[in-house]
Amino acid sequence: MGHGGIWIRAAVAVAAGGAIAARAVRRKSVDFSAVFVGVPAMVAHTVAGYRFAGLLLVFFFTSSRVTRVGEARKRALDPEFKEGGQRNWKQVLSNSGIASILVVLIALVTEGTDRCLDSKESTLVTALIGGVIGHYACCNGDTWSSELGILSKAEPRIITTFKRVQKGTNGGVTIDGLLAAAAAGFSIGLAFVLIGFLTAQCASYVFWRQLLVIPLATAAGLGGSLIDSILGATVQYSGFCSVRKRVVGIDGPTVTRISGMNILDNNGVNVVSVFLTTVLTAVACTYIF
């Protein structure tokens, strides 16, 4: 792709990103600080290819939507609840930072040309694209499982011992939450394939193999959520506050420990689980495609 095409993509991204950011701030999906991370991320994704911008937008819109489901119940259960799910720059960065680095590398290697997953043509490009898919499958899976799993009628069980725990406990899982994570990954895989049908050009035998992205992204959504839960149960503190009668993430005189060490906060757990899922999916793509 020529430099003119790349500048057009960048202009489209700035206009679309600005409009989406303004709407998100009004709806309290993000705060103002998040705009300064989100818009540059949108530009980087769009310059690399419309498929990558599509994955970012599918993650943003679907996660914002599920965050608004059952807000009244979440307010009572979630120690980190924010009206409208309002995300700050740290949360936006933890959910898009690694992918933004990957798409910049993709743009440099491909010069903005939409390439298919094909190790015979380029193992590097296949791994980088696979990493972006794994990244958003994990982010979406974690958000869907957290936001919908907490509303499940079933009592969560902590993933390390399978003992029943209070709702809102880090590392607690339900069948509903795990199914939501898989569905979230599926939505990322489906978006990648559908947009790719319109934008990517490759040989027919390679073209149809791209459909394997759908089960791969589904597995990445579920796997990323499981990694997130294991980290949440072990290196993120959860305790029950006898005064507030709810699960909290900080120790104190009125708090009884449930699980986890106070090593990482929620953003830290997200970054580590996203990184691991990104690497695993990238490696898997080099063997599958």
Side-chain angles (χ1 to χ4, degrees):
M1 171 177 282
H3 292 297
I6 288 174
W7 281 112
I8 290 170
R9 281 189 188 177
V12 168
V14 169
I20 292 166
R23 177 179 180 272
V25 170
R26 279 200 310 273
R27 291 172 60 85
K28 295 186 177 179
S29 295
V30 298
D31 67 16
F32 199 66
S33 71
V35 174
F36 292 99
V37 176
V39 173
M42 179 68 179
V43 173
H45 282 64
T46 308
V47 168
Y50 287 118
R51 275 186 305 182
F52 306 115
L55 297 190
L56 174 60
L57 293 177
V58 167
F59 163 63
F60 175 72
F61 284 116
T62 62
S63 61
S64 296
R65 183 63 187 166
V66 298
T67 298
R68 292 178 179 277
V69 176
E71 282 191 331
R73 287 175 63 192
K74 288 173 185 173
R75 192 179 291 107
L77 294 168
D78 188 353
E80 296 185 13
F81 176 82
K82 288 184 179 179
E83 205 70 45
Q86 192 172 48
R87 289 166 171 80
N88 59 31
W89 70 270
K90 290 180 182 178
Q91 290 164 307
V92 173
L93 187 62
S94 69
N95 283 312
S96 66
I98 294 172
S100 295
I101 294 168
L102 294 179
V103 296
V104 168
L105 293 174
I106 290 168
L108 291 172
V109 174
T110 66
E111 296 182 341
T113 303
D114 234 342
R115 303 263 281 271
C116 286
L117 291 157
D118 183 11
S119 291
K120 289 180 181 177
E121 184 185 7
S122 174
T123 303
L124 175 61
V125 172
T126 298
L128 290 171
I129 295 173
V132 177
I133 294 166
H135 178 286
Y136 284 115
C138 178
C139 291
N140 219 27
D142 174 45
T143 304
W144 285 34
S145 63
S146 299
E147 298 293 345
L148 299 178
I150 200 170
L151 300 175
S152 172
K153 292 179 181 178
E155 273 190 287
R157 292 176 181 269
I158 196 156
I159 196 166
T160 47
T161 63
F162 295 105
K163 289 182 179 178
R164 287 188 173 90
V165 289
Q166 295 269 354
K167 286 188 176 182
T169 301
N170 295 308
V173 296
T174 62
I175 296 297
D176 291 346
L178 294 177
L179 289 174
F186 176 87
S187 72
I188 293 295
L190 184 63
F192 181 86
V193 169
L194 290 178
I195 299 170
F197 279 161
L198 301 173
T199 63
Q201 294 179 338
C202 49
S204 59
Y205 76 94
V206 175
F207 189 79
W208 291 110
R209 283 181 65 81
Q210 306 304 297
L211 290 170
L212 294 173
V213 168
I214 296 174
L216 178 65
T218 303
L222 177 59
S225 179
L226 290 172
I227 292 170
D228 189 276
S229 296
I230 291 167
L231 291 170
T234 54
V235 295
Q236 186 177 8
Y237 183 86
S238 291
F240 187 78
C241 178
S242 58
V243 175
R244 297 167 68 188
K245 303 295 182 187
R246 64 194 287 182
V247 175
V248 294
I250 302 172
D251 197 7
T254 61
V255 178
T256 305
R257 180 180 173 274
I258 299 172
S259 64
M261 296 177 287
N262 193 17
I263 297 173
L264 294 176
D265 63 6
N266 201 47
N267 291 329
V269 167
N270 284 348
V271 170
V272 175
S273 61
V274 166
F275 176 77
L276 292 174
T277 308
T278 297
V279 171
L280 290 170
T281 312
V283 172
C285 279
T286 63
Y287 284 97
I288 293 169
F289 297 99

